[in-house]
Amino acid sequence: MKQLENKRILLGVTGGIAAYKSADLTRRLRDAGAEVRVVMTRAATEFITPLTMQALSGNPVHLHLLDPQAEAAMGHIELARWADAVLVAPASANFMAKLAHGLADDLLSTLCLACDAPLALAPAMNRLMWSNPATQDNRRLLERRGVRLFGPAAGEQACGEVGEGRMVESQQLVEMTAGLFAAGSLNGLNVVVSAGPTREAIDPVRFISNRSSGKMGYAIAAAAAEAGANVTLVSGPVALPAPPRVVRIDVESAEQMYEAVLANMRDCDIFIGAAAVADYRPQQLAQHKIKKAQTEVSLALERTPDILASVAALPNAPFTVGFAAETENLEAHARAKLAAKTLDMVAANWVGQGMGFDSNENALTLFWPLPASQDSNVPVDRQGGSMELPYAAKDKLARDLISVISERYHAQDKT
Ligand code: PMT
C-alpha cells in the first residue's frame, strides 16, 4: 500500500476489549510501510500491555502526559508534530466525548488537541452506548470538525449483544488510513519552497534586506505538506515556526539560499520561489564595523546569483514556479520574468504600501506558458494562460495556489 510508505502514524489506543485488535493493526500498518508510535490511555493498559505494543511497533509506548522522561525527548507537542496522521483505535465512547468537548486530561486527548494532522477514530463500544443520543451528538460534532470516523461495524459484540459498535477489522482500518493520504493532490512529490528575505552583510553588524516576513512562503509550504508533498522549506531569517511536517533549512544570504536550494534539487519535483531574495549585495564585506568618519559613504553592489533562473535551467529542472513582486505594470513584468527565466508558472503580486510584504492577506495573478505549438503566432510575452487568485488570507491563497500548481504539474505530465 504505497500511500502508507514512510508515513508516520500515531496510533492511540483507548480502553475497551477491542484494544487487543490494535496489536494486529500495528503490525499491519508497519507491513504497509508506515512508522507507528503508540499512545495508550490508562484504561487501554488494562486490556493489552504496553510491552506488546512496544514490541510490535518497534518504538517505546507513550503513556503519561507528565512523564519527565518522555517530556525531555518527545512530549505531547513533539508527538503531535511528528504525526502525519492520528488513528485512535479503538476509540471508546468516553474518548469521543472528551474529544468533542476539548478535554485534555491525559496524553492522548491533549495531543489530539495539539495536532493538526488528519485525525481518524475507529469507535468500538456496546451497541446501546453507540446509539445513545449523547454519543451520536458527539459523533456529529466531531465529523463537522473534520474528524474522520472509521466505522463502527455491525455484528456480534464481545458483550454477547448483536448490533452496531464493533471495531472495523484491522486490514480495513489500514486501507481507510491509507485513504487519508490518497486525497493529497501532491501526494509523494518532493517540493522545495523558498521563503522570507535574505540579508546581505555590509559589515559585521549591518546588512541590506527587505520587508518580507516569510508568511506567504510558509503558508505555501504548509499547503503543499497538507496536499501530501514532502516539503523542504529554505527560509531566510523570519520569526515564524516551521509548519508541521516540513523540513526547514535556515539561511541568511542569497548565496546561502542558492546553495541550500541547489543542494535539494536532485529529487525535486516542484520548486516554488516565494523568497524575496536580494538582487544585489555589497561587493566588499568590511571586516570591522564601518565608522562614521566621513559625511558620505558609497556602497558598491554586485548581483547575487539568480536562484530561480538557475533552478529552471537545470538539465532535469523541476516544475518551477517563480514570484513577481511588482509596483507597476504587473502583467508585463510578470510575463517577462516567465519568459526570461523559462518558468512553468509565475505568481505575480502588487507590493508596497501595505501590500504583499508583511501583510496577512494577499492576491495573486498566475501566468503560465502554453506549449509553443499552440501559441506560435503570439509574441512570447503574451503566450500562455492566466488566473486571478483574489485577495484572501495567505493560508487560503496558498491552498488555492497549490491546487493550481498541482493541476498544471499533472497536466504537464500528460503532454
Ligand atoms: O514574505 P511575505 O511578507 O509574506 O511577503 C510575500 C512576498 C511579497 C515576499 C511574496 O509574495 C513575493 O512576491 N516573493 C517574491 C519577491 C521577489 O523577490 O520578487 P522579484 O520579482 O524581485 O523576484 C522574482 C523571482 O525571482 C522571485 O521568485 C524570487 O524568489 C526570485 N529571485 C530573485 C532574485 C534572486 N537573486 N534569486 C531569485 O531566485
Side-chain angles (χ1 to χ4, degrees):
M1 207 160 302
K2 237 180 149 19
Q3 295 100 316
L4 283 177
E5 264 171 34
N6 302 319
K7 289 292 184 303
R8 294 170 297 194
I9 306 298
L10 198 145
L11 177 62
V13 185
T14 71
I17 185 61
Y20 81 91
K21 291 189 189 172
S22 53
D24 182 46
L25 175 59
T26 303
R27 190 183 57 77
R28 286 175 192 261
L29 284 168
R30 290 191 71 195
D31 285 350
E35 189 184 342
V36 182
R37 287 181 191 267
V38 178
V39 172
M40 298 176 78
T41 63
R42 192 197 50 73
T45 62
E46 305 283 339
F47 292 90
I48 183 166
T49 70
L51 199 60
T52 305
M53 299 306 286
Q54 177 170 318
L56 289 166
S57 67
N59 283 309
V61 170
H62 302 269
L63 300 168
H64 306 295
L65 181 56
L66 303 175
D67 174 352
Q69 227 183 350
E71 215 38 45
M74 185 175 277
H76 60 283
I77 298 295
E78 281 84 349
L79 273 172
R81 283 196 193 130
W82 174 86
D84 290 324
V86 178
L87 169 64
V88 182
S92 64
N94 179 55
F95 182 75
M96 286 178 64
K98 275 168 52 168
L99 199 61
H101 296 281
L103 295 186
D105 62 353
D106 62 6
L107 179 58
L108 185 58
S109 53
T110 307
L111 79 82
C112 283
L113 282 189
C115 190
D116 57 3
L119 169 60
L121 308 181
M125 64 197 74
N126 166 273
R127 68 181 176 91
L128 291 173
M129 290 172 77
W130 173 249
S131 61
N132 187 291
T135 306
Q136 288 305 307
D137 279 353
N138 291 335
R139 172 185 67 78
R140 275 187 287 272
L141 191 56
L142 291 169
E143 281 180 330
R144 266 209 306 278
R145 290 181 193 153
V147 177
R148 303 286 302 274
L149 267 90
F150 295 165
E156 197 173 331
Q157 300 205 283
C159 53
E161 297 185 14
V162 177
E164 215 180 355
R166 277 171 64 93
M167 186 162 101
V168 169
E169 291 307 324
S170 303
Q171 190 51 36
Q172 207 184 337
L173 282 180
V174 172
E175 281 156 25
M176 289 167 137
T177 308
L180 291 175
F181 299 100
S185 61
L186 299 183
N187 216 26
L189 295 180
N190 297 321
V191 174
V192 176
V193 180
S194 74
T198 63
R199 285 180 183 172
E200 310 304 325
I202 299 171
D203 68 14
V205 295
R206 302 182 178 97
F207 53 79
I208 300 173
S209 192
N210 59 64
R211 296 178 191 279
S212 169
S213 62
K215 287 176 193 168
M216 192 70 244
Y218 274 57
I220 293 168
E226 236 173 65
N230 308 310
V231 182
T232 303
L233 174 62
V234 180
S235 173
V238 298
L240 297 173
R245 300 181 302 288
V246 163
V247 176
R248 183 170 89 182
I249 302 173
D250 290 316
V251 297
E252 209 162 289
S253 64
E255 187 68 38
Q256 289 168 355
M257 187 172 274
Y258 172 85
E259 299 289 341
V261 167
L262 270 286
N264 280 279
M265 281 302 111
R266 202 151 72 91
D267 301 315
C268 176
D269 299 297
I270 299 173
F271 172 67
I272 307 170
V277 187
D279 290 317
Y280 292 93
R281 65 186 168 206
Q283 240 169 29
Q284 305 260 311
L285 167 61
Q287 290 305 308
H288 298 286
K289 186 180 167 212
I290 299 170
K291 296 288 175 199
K292 52 175 184 287
Q294 297 121 298
T295 46
E296 268 181 34
V297 176
S298 297
L299 206 56
L301 301 177
E302 63 182 13
R303 290 292 300 266
T304 54
D306 191 318
I307 303 165
L308 192 60
S310 309
V311 168
L314 288 172
N316 284 317
F319 187 91
T320 307
V321 181
F323 266 68
E326 307 298 342
T327 56
E328 55 174 354
N329 300 331
L330 183 109
E331 176 166 356
H333 289 320
R335 284 191 185 276
K337 281 175 187 167
L338 182 72
K341 300 191 187 186
T342 60
L343 305 177
D344 294 298
M345 188 186 286
V346 69
N349 47 187
W350 292 105
V351 295
Q353 293 175 343
M355 287 191 298
F357 284 85
D358 202 21
S359 56
N360 291 327
E361 294 84 20
N362 200 9
L364 295 171
T365 310
L366 311 182
F367 301 97
W368 59 86
L370 288 180
S373 58
Q374 291 183 30
D375 256 0
S376 53
N377 295 324
V378 182
V380 75
D381 64 345
R382 304 295 309 163
Q383 287 180 6
S386 70
M387 181 186 278
E388 296 284 340
L389 298 183
Y391 191 74
K394 281 182 177 169
D395 54 354
K396 151 116 183 51
L397 196 63
R399 285 195 195 103
D400 293 345
L401 174 63
I402 286 296
S403 135
V404 181
I405 290 174
S406 148
E407 262 172 48
R408 300 292 319 153
Y409 172 83
H410 292 294
Q412 190 197 46
D413 260 7
K414 286 177 200 126
T415 56

